[in-house]
């Protein structure tokens, strides 16, 4: 039976034990405040100044025996003392307790309006999820339901931001679904994950399905209710760096729900343990690598057979670079991953030597001082590297590369590049090293211009990232965007395209023929850059 401590007995016990508080070590204080309920009590004592332990229990929404145990811990570590106030025992903060309260910050409250979102490095606002909950009282039963709303503040052209609301949902269930799919949602790139339906009011009233899709560097929040945008991708509503999204999921969505369950003495352990397991994986490098790789394949890392775990370990050993491996895994299904690895091994053994580009290492070294591409958006980075390579090779903006053969000679290849059969999954080419020289094996795309574009994407990936092993895929990830931008600018520089069309009045079809590019590629180069 749970002991209920009250009256003078509690006061005498706490005051008596407080004499030992000076012996508390920094480690003991840290351990005490690692508990969310203990931190909540410290905040309540400091901010609400309860006149009794009974009042403190009411403010915390917890049973008095539980509050007494937490309070005892805070007293033992010298953060709280209990004063006698007539027949009451009043908890107050010590000087050490006030200092710690300043460190951990005030109680988080739900404002009527969200604060202005933080800014990205490129100056655009981050629009982040926010939870608004109606905490049930402990008397309502033992249900784990936490009613509330998930809210997004969306950008709107020519007007204020639009509030999008999930409506009343069970936040505990919502958080559990997020945690169960954490690794797949964040690391399977170019693969939207549906998180729910949202509703807007006013002139923007409507319902739309919200999904999140990882590009590698960022998380796009996309609207999947009104079809798809260009290239078959969902229409992006907003985006933010993946690190910000991870932090907000953990700190601003999961943690408040866990705290709510704590306060109402409900069953919070499953949510808390899932979040802790995820945090531990990030803390241990190899575990995090394994979990991310499993997620990129659309798998949960916690429910794998020994055979599948072995496949993942083999992939991690084969492609050491994190971003290259996650792009490759995201381009495959579970059934395709071993076939993909075998295709790479077979084609490199067959064609790796003859397809080596012996000058590419030196080209990469030569162009780096010119690129100045650190921190730029993917398309800007790819474009900068393409211009740097052309500059290093002394190729003018109006000069054609000369197709596959011309590119092979520019890159120091000694033999014609031989094309392979269709690659598995969404992979189109793979770059590796043979005797320390970059080598590229690639599928035959059935047209000369398409093959040239893929070859240049692989070259651009190596120039930008320098990975020993990396794939070119049909996915739309941040890394693949670098390669696409490199290929577009390397094959047909925007300055040359615009000059031929605007100054020389050359038709787009003839410009495409001159550069050995497709009509659509030249059109996009002109449309994307004509304002330069």
């Amino acid at each position: 039976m749970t002991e209920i401590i009250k009256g003078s007995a509690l006061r005498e016990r706490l005051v008596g034990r407080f004499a030992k508080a000076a012996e508390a070590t920094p480690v003991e204080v840290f351990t005490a405040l690692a508990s969310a309920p203990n931190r909540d009590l410290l905040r309540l004592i400091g901010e609400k100044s309860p006149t009794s332990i009974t009042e403190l229990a009411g403010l915390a929404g917890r049973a008095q025996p539980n509050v007494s145990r937490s309070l005892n811990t805070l007293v033992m570590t010298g953060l709280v003392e209990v004063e006698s106030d007539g027949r009451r025992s009043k908890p107050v903060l010590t000087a050490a307790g006030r200092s710690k309260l300043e460190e951990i910050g005030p109680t988080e409250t739900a404002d009527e309006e969200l604060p202005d979102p933080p800014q990205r490095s490129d100056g655009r606002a981050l629009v982040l999820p926010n939870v608004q909950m109606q905490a049930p009282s402990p008397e309502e039963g033992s249900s784990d339901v936490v009613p509330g709303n998930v809210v997004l503040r969306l950008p709107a052209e020519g007007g204020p931001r639009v509030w999008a609301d999930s409506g009343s949902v069970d936040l505990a269930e919502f958080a559990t679904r997020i945690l169960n799919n954490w690794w797949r949602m964040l690391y399977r790139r170019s693969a939207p994950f549906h998180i729910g339906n949202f509703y807007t009011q006013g002139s923007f009233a409507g319902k739309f399905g919200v999904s999140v899709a990882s590009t590698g560097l960022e998380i796009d929040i996309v609207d999947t209710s009104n079809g798809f945008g260009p290239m078959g991708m969902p229409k992006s509503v907003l985006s933010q760096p993946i690190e910000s999204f991870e932090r907000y999921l953990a700190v601003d969505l999961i943690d408040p729900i866990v705290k709510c369950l704590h306060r109402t003495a409900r069953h919070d352990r499953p949510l808390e343990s899932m979040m802790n397991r995820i945090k531990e994986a990030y803390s241990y490098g190899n575990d995090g690598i394994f979990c991310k790789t499993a997620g990129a394949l659309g798998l949960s890392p916690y429910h794998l057979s020994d055979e599948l775990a072995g496949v993942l370990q083999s992939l991690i050993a084969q492609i050491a670079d994190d971003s290259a491996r996650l792009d490759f895994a995201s381009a495959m299904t579970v059934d395709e991953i071993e076939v993909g690895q075998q295709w790479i091994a077979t084609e490199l053994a067959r064609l790796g030597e003859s397809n080596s580009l012996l000058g590419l290492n030196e080209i990469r070294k030569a162009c780096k001082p010119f690129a100045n591409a650190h921190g730029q958006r993917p398309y800007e980075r790819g474009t900068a590297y393409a211009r740097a390579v052309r500059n290093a090779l002394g190729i003018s903006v109006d000069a054609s590369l000369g197709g596959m053969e011309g590119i092979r000679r520019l890159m120091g290849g000694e033999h014609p590049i031989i094309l392979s059969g269709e690659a598995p999954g969404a992979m189109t080419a793979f770059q590796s090293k043979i005797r320390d020289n970059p080598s590229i094996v690639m599928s035959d795309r059935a047209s000369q211009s398409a093959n040239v574009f893929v070859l240049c994407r692989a070259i651009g990936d190596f120039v930008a990232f320098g990975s020993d092993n990396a794939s070119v895929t049909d996915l739309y990830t941040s890394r693949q965007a670098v390669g696409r931008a490199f290929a577009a600018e390397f094959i047909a520089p925007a300055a040359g395209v615009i000059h031929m069309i605007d100054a020389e009045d050359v038709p787009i079809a003839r410009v495409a023929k001159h550069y050995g590019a497709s009509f659509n590629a030249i059109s996009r180069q002109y449309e994307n850059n004509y304002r330069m």
Side-chain angles (χ1 to χ4, degrees), residues 5 10 23 68 100 104 128 143 230 298 317 395 402 433 477 521:
I5 308 172
L10 172 65
E23 302 172 7
S68 298
K100 284 296 177 184
I104 65 176
L128 301 159
S143 169
I395 309 171
K433 283 192 172 181
T477 70

Side-chain angles (χ1 to χ4, degrees), residues 188-249:
R188 186 158 177 81
R189 298 174 174 180
S190 197
F193 176 80
H194 182 72
I195 62 171
N197 294 320
F198 284 71
Y199 306 85
T200 56
Q201 303 296 326
S203 59
F204 296 92
K207 169 186 172 182
F208 59 98
V210 174
S211 295
V212 295
S214 173
T215 66
L217 292 179
E218 293 187 325
I219 291 290
D220 288 339
I221 297 181
V222 297
D223 175 5
T224 55
S225 60
N226 295 312
F228 292 83
M231 303 178 186
M233 294 301 294
K235 298 175 183 177
S236 177
V237 177
L238 54 95
S239 62
Q240 58 192 257
I242 190 170
E243 295 84 1
S244 296
F245 193 70
E246 289 172 320
R247 183 175 67 84
Y248 268 81
L249 284 180

Side-chain angles (χ1 to χ4, degrees), residues 142-188:
S142 59
S143 169
D144 296 338
V145 172
V146 178
N149 304 61
V150 180
V151 179
L152 297 175
R153 188 164 52 173
L154 307 177
E157 293 185 9
R161 294 189 178 276
V162 180
W163 288 89
D165 195 315
S166 66
S168 182
V169 296
D170 176 6
L171 293 173
E173 181 181 352
F174 182 85
T176 299
R177 185 166 177 269
I178 293 293
L179 292 175
N180 280 334
N181 293 279
W182 182 277
W183 301 104
R184 175 258 181 268
M185 178 179 68
L186 295 177
Y187 296 102
R188 186 158 177 81

Side-chain angles (χ1 to χ4, degrees), residues 19-34:
K20 302 178 182 179
E23 302 172 7
T25 67
V27 172
E28 290 171 333
V29 173
F30 176 84
T31 302
L33 293 181

